[in-house]
Amino acid sequence: MKNSLTKLALATSIAAMPLMADYTFNTKSLFAIEGGYSDLGANVYDSGVGISNLGKENGGMGTIGLKVGAQTENYRIFISARHYDADKLSRLNTYGAEAQYMFNFSEPVNFFVGINGGIANLRVTGTTTYDTAYENLNYIGGDLGFNYHATELVDVELGYRFMTFKDDIERSTYTYQLDRLQTFYVSAIIKWDMD
């Protein structure tokens, strides 16, 4: 059975090589600048007292980021870095990757859905009630939106992204729990043919 699966995988790989060669030939490099509006729910739990709400990060939480990537006719990947202008958090940055599938339903516009994952680097400044928390948390999530081909070299992307955090931050008797981080964003994407 194992040999049969190995032969099937090998045959499929060989048969797919011309298709992959075509994708490689039509691949474009991407560089993007992104700006957006985000919010984040954050709570602090004290095992002896109950809950103390840090407040939902709404309004004024601007987001700016850079993305580099590659694209074929239907697939797109990015490596990204973003900074969030958080009020309640003294630092919030994310570093990750996105993989997207594009539905090309018209010439100038396509719709995309994707997944994302990476690391969120954050710092919650302490008060007289609770200590400062500094941590790197893993996140996973998804994104969707529209991509408009403004010119042959420039796309404009309008999208929505959400990220969920796997772990909480624990300090002494306090637990910092982060809700999903969601962002509405626009990107200017410069694209050029790979050699």
Side-chain angles (χ1 to χ4, degrees), residues 54-134:
L54 277 174
K56 194 168 178 66
E57 285 283 1
N58 270 329
M61 189 168 161
T63 305
I64 188 162
L66 296 175
K67 304 186 286 193
V68 293
Q71 170 182 322
T72 63
E73 185 177 348
N74 294 101
Y75 295 95
R76 184 166 67 176
I77 58 169
F78 285 111
I79 296 173
S80 60
R82 296 181 184 86
H83 171 73
Y84 300 81
D85 183 24
D87 182 31
K88 303 292 192 304
L89 303 174
S90 54
R91 179 188 303 144
L92 177 56
N93 299 315
T94 59
Y95 309 96
E98 296 90 42
Q100 300 170 345
Y101 181 81
M102 296 180 293
F103 298 90
N104 299 300
F105 58 85
S106 75
E107 188 68 30
V109 180
N110 54 32
F111 176 76
F112 66 88
V113 295
I115 58 173
N116 62 62
I119 294 173
N121 172 253
L122 58 92
R123 179 184 174 97
V124 180
T125 303
T127 68
T128 55
T129 308
Y130 49 84
D131 299 330
T132 296
Y134 174 76

Side-chain angles (χ1 to χ4, degrees), residues 26-186:
N26 293 319
T27 301
K28 294 191 179 293
S29 296
L30 307 173
F31 174 79
I33 298 174
E34 177 184 301
Y37 173 85
S38 302
D39 68 59
L40 169 71
N43 293 302
V44 181
Y45 293 88
D46 183 350
S47 60
V49 177
I51 184 170
S52 172
N53 194 343
L54 277 174
K56 194 168 178 66
E57 285 283 1
N58 270 329
M61 189 168 161
T63 305
I64 188 162
L66 296 175
K67 304 186 286 193
V68 293
Q71 170 182 322
T72 63
E73 185 177 348
N74 294 101
Y75 295 95
R76 184 166 67 176
I77 58 169
F78 285 111
I79 296 173
S80 60
R82 296 181 184 86
H83 171 73
Y84 300 81
D85 183 24
D87 182 31
K88 303 292 192 304
L89 303 174
S90 54
R91 179 188 303 144
L92 177 56
N93 299 315
T94 59
Y95 309 96
E98 296 90 42
Q100 300 170 345
Y101 181 81
M102 296 180 293
F103 298 90
N104 299 300
F105 58 85
S106 75
E107 188 68 30
V109 180
N110 54 32
F111 176 76
F112 66 88
V113 295
I115 58 173
N116 62 62
I119 294 173
N121 172 253
L122 58 92
R123 179 184 174 97
V124 180
T125 303
T127 68
T128 55
T129 308
Y130 49 84
D131 299 330
T132 296
Y134 174 76
E135 197 70 60
N136 289 319
L137 295 179
N138 294 326
Y139 71 82
I140 58 169
D143 43 30
L144 56 89
F146 291 93
N147 194 59
Y148 172 67
H149 308 299
T151 70
E152 192 172 319
L153 297 175
V154 178
D155 283 358
V156 177
E157 174 187 28
L158 182 63
Y160 167 77
R161 176 183 305 109
F162 71 92
M163 303 171 178
T164 58
F165 301 93
K166 181 181 177 184
D167 299 313
D168 297 332
I169 304 171
E170 295 184 6
R171 294 288 185 277
S172 183
T173 61
Y174 299 96
T175 301
Y176 301 79
Q177 186 178 70
L178 302 177
D179 197 359
R180 73 181 182 277
L181 173 61
Q182 57 183 355
T183 304
F184 294 93
Y185 68 91
V186 61

Side-chain angles (χ1 to χ4, degrees), residues 1-14:
M1 179 70 174
K2 184 178 178 183
N3 286 339
S4 298
L5 291 176
T6 303
K7 290 177 184 176
L8 178 61
L10 182 60
T12 303
S13 300
I14 291 170

